[in-house]
Amino acid sequence: MSKIRKFSIGNPINTDAVEKKLAAAKGKIPYLKKEDKSFVYKLGTEDRIYGLGENVRGINKRGWIYESNCADQPNHTETQHSLYGAHNFFVVDGKERFGVFIDYPGKLILDMGYTKMNEIRITPEDWDMDVYIIEGKEILDIVKEFRALIGRSYIPPKWAFGYTQSRWGYKSADDIREVVKGYRENGIPIDNVCMDIDYMERFKDFTVNDETFPDFPEFVKEMEKEHIHLVPIIDAGVKIEEGYDTYEEGVEKGYFCKEKDGSDFVGAVWPGRVHFPDFLNKDAREWFGKQYKILLDQGIEGFWNDMNEPAIFYSEKNLDAVMKKIKKMDNRDMDMWEVFGFRDLVNGLANNPEDYASIYHNMDGKKICHDKVHNLYGYNMTRAAGEAFEELCPEKRILIYSRASYIGMHRYGGTWMGDNQSWWSHLLMNLQMLPSMNMCGFLYTGADLGGFGADTTEDLVLRWLALGIFTPLMRNHSAIGTREQEAYQFTNKEAFKNIIGIRYGLMPYLYSEYMKAVLRNEMLFTPLAFAYPEDTQAQQVEDQLLMGESIMIAPVYTQNATGRYVYLPEKMKLVRMKSMNDIKTEVLEKGHYYVDVALDEVVFFIRPEKIVPYTMGGQFMEEAEQQELKLLHFVTDKAEYELYEDDGYEKDYENPEHYRTIKVEA
Ligand code: MIG
């Protein structure tokens, strides 16, 4: 039993975050006390805070100050306050238990017991917002209620659950052929290859460089024969260039973001000078969405939307101003402060708050400053794509995932967790971010496996993949200039082949759990604290998760470890896999264990009276799908499992024929 109430303050901007429109309640907002310029809640010593989607720090968010402000922030250290998403939903669990969603698209400070350890203090920039208070018996009830409010999460095509290789720097069709060959020749399964900005003609959206990718539609077909989907990147900024259709049409129709005086705002990103499409303008959104057709028509069925916070390397006007200041510094004997000032000038060019404050949108006919709606930009870029796909290809699912996001976008696409580093700490961060993303509706998500920035190591990639096999988006991605980290680049190819193979073997379970979580507004990754609310030990566990209804995962995330400590909140069956052919199991009582996990193994735990359907897997999704279904289970009496199966393309999600009940009796 849970209860939702909406409170409207001032003139809230319509974000369409919420699908179920509620009438505003009268009276005072419970729990949050308005004090000065903030909402305040007094925390009990034991209270825990969960949620806030894509963010740094642990599963329990208490003890830090967060800022909802979609940021192009590649430096994911624990001292950051914002990453790419702005997800203002959290649950307080302790002497009182309630959820809060602040539907407010501007900058919001969420001080979660940082300034004062016993106080939550939430500070917006102005008082126009909808506040939703959700009460429920358990945390999971509150989350479910919230998810029902914001609407069904995005469902990608089934092939998007296949393993994906990506790297910034695959320059040509031949580079991609080489990658596919590396996988196929070593028998390492793969379904998708991402195309980063290198494929475009001088970084122009919806173009393909025809020197490096001659006859692109033919290449797409060639890859299709190899059972490979190509997934190109789309950037937010549109290059300013005479004769480039997307640019010319956008200017002509007035679909780009403006300066205060009505001229088109000029920023710079990869292509040099760009205009930013005004995704908050419905017509512009429709128009931009239609641009994806250019690539759909060439056989493409999946995309990733990047740089949509939006990231701005510099604005034309600010660059001019900075250049003038720097000229004055020329030939000067600069002291330390001047050198620092000089550096700040240059570093301050990118993602400059004054630039954001000088951009204007046309939202439902109203002129609105970007500052007030900053967190809606990436969301609406992805919504543009999602809405267009519904119209352009209503019969099939198209893959789309975005870097920036806001709650509401979860209905249109997935996300990836942005530019992490090849650090062990970021493997743990990946795990800890999964449940908070799920709470906010983002189910199709995953981090850059192996790490994006910096040089990786073979053991880090193996350990990270052993977590990645459970995440809906399973993508190995890395930055240009870093060590190559395709699975076939390393010594122990057999281990890579087997671990990625396990992903394909477990697919009947992984896909069923994904679909059920989406269709029932449930979490895919659940902290132990949510599932075992009476267990005070479980509340402390920040490095294990339940994945779906049947299993618990506990990946290794430290270098040179031969295993790790695991807490079993109940009796479970340990499953040790070297490959789908080599599976050992052992029943363990509730309690604490040190569990050995070799580098070439995947270990997980089956809960009592639960079933995990699997197959022997395959080299790609279609092959894996043809294998005979088998069952792993921990059944002492009897158990049932609802298997969800569909063709992976169609959208008749609710069709009861997709469900099949599997029964096991001891
Ligand atoms: O400024 O397209 O997060 O995945 O490889 C960097 C190049 C731009 C950032 C994305 C990353 C991608 C990279 N992009």
Side-chain angles (χ1 to χ4, degrees):
M1 252 301 284
S2 35
K3 193 167 84 187
I4 273 199
R5 271 172 295 169
K6 165 180 161 180
F7 299 88
S8 286
I9 302 173
N11 287 307
I13 290 168
N14 178 21
T15 66
D16 283 332
V18 159
E19 209 175 47
K20 256 197 225 161
K21 307 281 177 206
L22 302 181
K26 299 242 158 49
K28 271 196 13 208
I29 303 178
Y31 306 107
L32 307 179
K33 222 173 91 196
K34 191 145 174 246
E35 222 181 85
D36 250 346
K37 296 194 159 76
S38 309
F39 284 126
V40 174
Y41 178 76
K42 289 279 171 236
L43 288 162
T45 341
E46 311 264 291
D47 290 2
R48 295 162 299 277
I49 305 167
Y50 300 108
L52 299 184
E54 187 172 19
N55 246 311
V56 296
R57 304 241 164 186
I59 294 177
N60 180 353
K61 288 281 177 259
R62 185 166 178 173
W64 189 240
I65 181 165
Y66 307 89
E67 197 176 285
S68 273
N69 186 28
C70 293
D72 166 25
Q73 176 52 268
N75 199 15
H76 303 183
T77 55
E78 60 187 271
T79 45
Q80 295 298 346
H81 306 286
S82 330
L83 296 175
Y84 311 87
H87 306 140
N88 305 336
F89 172 62
F90 62 90
V91 173
V92 175
D93 180 39
K95 60 184 192 318
E96 296 178 303
R97 186 174 292 143
F98 59 95
V100 177
F101 172 48
I102 305 203
D103 190 5
Y104 173 75
K107 197 197 278 179
L108 185 71
I109 311 282
L110 296 134
D111 183 337
M112 297 303 200
Y114 163 77
T115 306
K116 291 186 186 156
M117 284 182 81
N118 67 344
E119 187 181 280
I120 291 181
R121 182 170 283 269
I122 301 170
T123 314
E125 292 199 321
D126 42 44
W127 289 92
D128 297 307
M129 68 185 78
D130 286 326
V131 178
Y132 295 82
I133 301 289
I134 306 146
E135 289 166 309
K137 194 162 169 292
E138 305 290 353
I139 304 174
L140 286 171
D141 301 323
I142 294 172
V143 173
K144 195 168 176 157
E145 194 71 28
F146 176 63
R147 291 268 306 279
L149 176 78
I150 60 176
R152 192 181 69 207
S153 299
Y154 166 75
I155 300 175
K158 191 166 183 189
W159 55 261
F161 290 83
Y163 174 74
T164 303
Q165 181 61 58
S166 180
R167 181 173 170 87
W168 177 9
Y170 296 152
K171 290 183 308 299
S172 62
D174 278 344
D175 278 3
I176 291 177
R177 287 188 182 101
E178 204 52 37
V179 172
V180 173
K181 205 169 121 211
Y183 276 92
R184 292 282 181 247
E185 279 186 1
N186 288 291
I188 308 171
I190 184 167
D191 268 84
N192 314 302
V193 178
C194 283
M195 299 167 72
D196 208 317
I197 47 173
D198 322 86
Y199 79 87
M200 297 183 219
E201 189 207 317
R202 284 171 299 118
F203 308 123
K204 277 148 53 187
D205 279 340
F206 311 109
T207 68
V208 177
N209 182 329
D210 58 12
E211 274 166 36
T212 46
F213 289 87
D215 201 348
F216 187 60
E218 208 30 62
F219 179 57
V220 176
K221 277 196 201 117
E222 176 192 327
M223 286 295 116
E224 236 171 65
K225 283 192 200 109
E226 294 275 353
H227 308 279
I228 296 291
H229 285 89
L230 296 172
V231 182
I233 196 171
I234 304 293
D235 277 6
V238 169
K239 184 171 173 63
I240 299 178
E241 186 182 280
E242 300 281 299
Y244 166 37
D245 286 350
T246 307
Y247 160 75
E248 289 197 337
E249 271 176 45
V251 170
E252 191 195 299
K253 299 193 163 129
Y255 288 160
F256 291 122
C257 294
K258 306 278 182 235
E259 293 277 354
K260 196 167 197 166
D261 67 7
S263 61
D264 291 335
F265 174 85
V266 180
V269 208
W270 290 106
R273 296 163 71 244
V274 300
H275 289 325
F276 290 101
D278 187 357
F279 300 120
L280 301 190
N281 171 346
K282 192 171 170 294
D283 297 333
R285 200 158 64 228
E286 223 166 86
W287 162 77
F288 192 83
K290 293 277 157 57
Q291 307 292 307
Y292 287 79
K293 186 168 185 297
I294 299 169
L295 290 163
L296 291 170
D297 285 348
Q298 299 179 64
I300 293 298
E301 294 176 291
F303 303 88
W304 45 313
N305 281 346
D306 192 19
M307 307 296 272
N308 51 6
E309 294 72 29
I312 306 178
F313 291 169
Y314 62 84
S315 74
E316 190 164 63
K317 55 180 187 281
N318 192 23
L319 184 68
D320 282 348
V322 167
M323 284 297 190
K324 277 191 195 120
K325 286 183 194 154
I326 288 178
K327 276 200 188 108
K328 281 193 200 144
M329 295 175 166
D330 201 14
N331 284 323
R332 286 267 312 274
D333 177 11
M334 290 197 271
D335 68 14
M336 183 186 76
W337 297 114
E338 285 170 312
V339 173
F340 287 173
F342 170 74
R343 274 214 302 247
D344 287 349
L345 273 177
V346 176
N347 291 337
L349 279 172
N351 306 322
N352 187 302
E354 281 171 33
D355 282 337
Y356 289 131
S358 75
I359 299 175
Y360 287 84
H361 298 278
N362 167 7
M363 202 178 172
D364 303 325
K366 269 191 300 215
K367 185 167 160 183
I368 185 155
C369 181
H370 179 79
D371 260 7
K372 307 252 178 253
V373 288
H374 174 72
N375 293 331
L376 299 181
Y377 192 75
Y379 159 19
N380 280 281
M381 177 184 183
T382 301
R383 179 179 179 181
E387 286 174 341
F389 299 155
E390 278 304 320
E391 225 186 289
L392 296 169
C393 21
E395 75 292 350
K396 74 175 177 200
R397 307 179 204 171
I398 299 292
L399 172 62
I400 180 93
Y401 49 95
S402 175
R403 196 169 71 173
S405 60
Y406 184 85
I407 291 171
M409 200 201 84
H410 69 286
R411 299 193 298 271
Y412 300 97
T415 61
W416 86 99
M417 294 169 178
D419 298 349
N420 60 10
Q421 302 269 335
S422 296
W423 296 343
W424 290 87
S425 59
H426 280 181
L427 198 177
L428 178 61
M429 187 185 183
N430 180 176
L431 176 129
Q432 292 176 329
M433 223 191 276
L434 288 163
S436 52
M437 291 297 282
N438 285 185
M439 288 172 76
C440 298
F442 295 93
L443 265 59
Y444 189 76
T445 187
D448 289 353
L449 303 173
F452 174 75
D455 291 334
T456 199
T457 60
E458 179 163 356
D459 52 350
L460 179 58
V461 184
L462 280 170
R463 291 301 198 195
W464 214 326
L465 288 173
L467 165 63
I469 59 174
F470 297 104
T471 62
L473 169 64
M474 184 190 185
R475 186 177 80 146
N476 175 339
H477 180 50
S478 55
I480 194 164
T482 62
R483 180 181 185 177
E484 295 181 334
Q485 64 188 45
E486 295 80 11
Y488 56 82
Q489 303 281 4
F490 299 103
T491 316
N492 194 354
K493 296 191 179 51
E494 201 56 24
F496 284 92
K497 174 179 159 179
N498 289 336
I499 291 183
I500 298 173
I502 292 169
R503 161 73 161 204
Y504 286 79
L506 292 178
M507 195 50 67
Y509 176 73
L510 300 177
Y511 187 69
S512 292
E513 290 307 307
Y514 184 87
M515 293 305 289
K516 288 186 289 181
V518 167
L519 297 172
R520 296 170 184 172
N521 296 319
E522 277 164 5
M523 294 179 61
L524 188 56
F525 292 95
T526 311
L528 268 47
F530 295 17
Y532 305 91
E534 306 304 325
D535 181 341
T536 49
Q537 293 273 320
Q539 280 165 7
Q540 301 300 313
V541 179
E542 292 245 335
D543 58 358
Q544 304 173 201
L545 295 171
L546 299 184
M547 193 278 159
E549 65 168 58
S550 304
I551 70 173
M552 179 177 82
I553 60 170
V556 174
Y557 55 90
T558 44
Q559 189 159 29
N560 299 319
T562 54
R564 53 162 287 175
Y565 289 96
V566 178
Y567 174 62
L568 265 56
E570 58 186 328
K571 189 175 182 177
M572 289 186 183
K573 184 186 261 183
L574 180 153
V575 179
R576 181 181 298 282
M577 290 185 168
K578 271 209 191 298
S579 70
M580 296 316 296
N581 280 313
D582 181 350
I583 307 176
K584 295 195 178 69
T585 65
E586 178 189 353
V587 173
L588 298 175
E589 296 297 326
K590 170 179 168 148
H592 293 274
Y593 293 87
Y594 187 86
V595 177
D596 293 321
V597 188
L599 251 190
D600 60 352
E601 285 178 343
V602 173
V603 167
F604 61 87
F605 304 83
I606 307 184
R607 302 173 72 190
E609 312 306 326
K610 295 290 179 199
I611 300 171
V612 179
Y614 74 99
T615 72
M616 296 312 284
Q619 284 295 299
F620 46 90
M621 205 60 100
E622 280 164 35
E623 190 178 88
E625 271 168 4
Q626 286 154 22
Q627 311 298 315
E628 182 200 339
L629 197 74
K630 300 177 181 230
L631 304 176
L632 273 163
H633 55 79
F634 179 24
V635 179
T636 52
D637 178 16
K638 58 176 191 271
E640 279 191 8
Y641 184 79
E642 266 184 290
L643 184 72
Y644 184 99
E645 288 172 313
D646 61 18
D647 75 350
Y649 260 113
E650 278 171 8
K651 296 178 177 170
D652 62 334
Y653 309 121
E654 312 279 354
N655 187 341
E657 281 173 21
H658 295 328
Y659 293 93
R660 179 146 69 92
T661 306
I662 295 171
K663 292 186 182 161
V664 174
E665 285 193 39

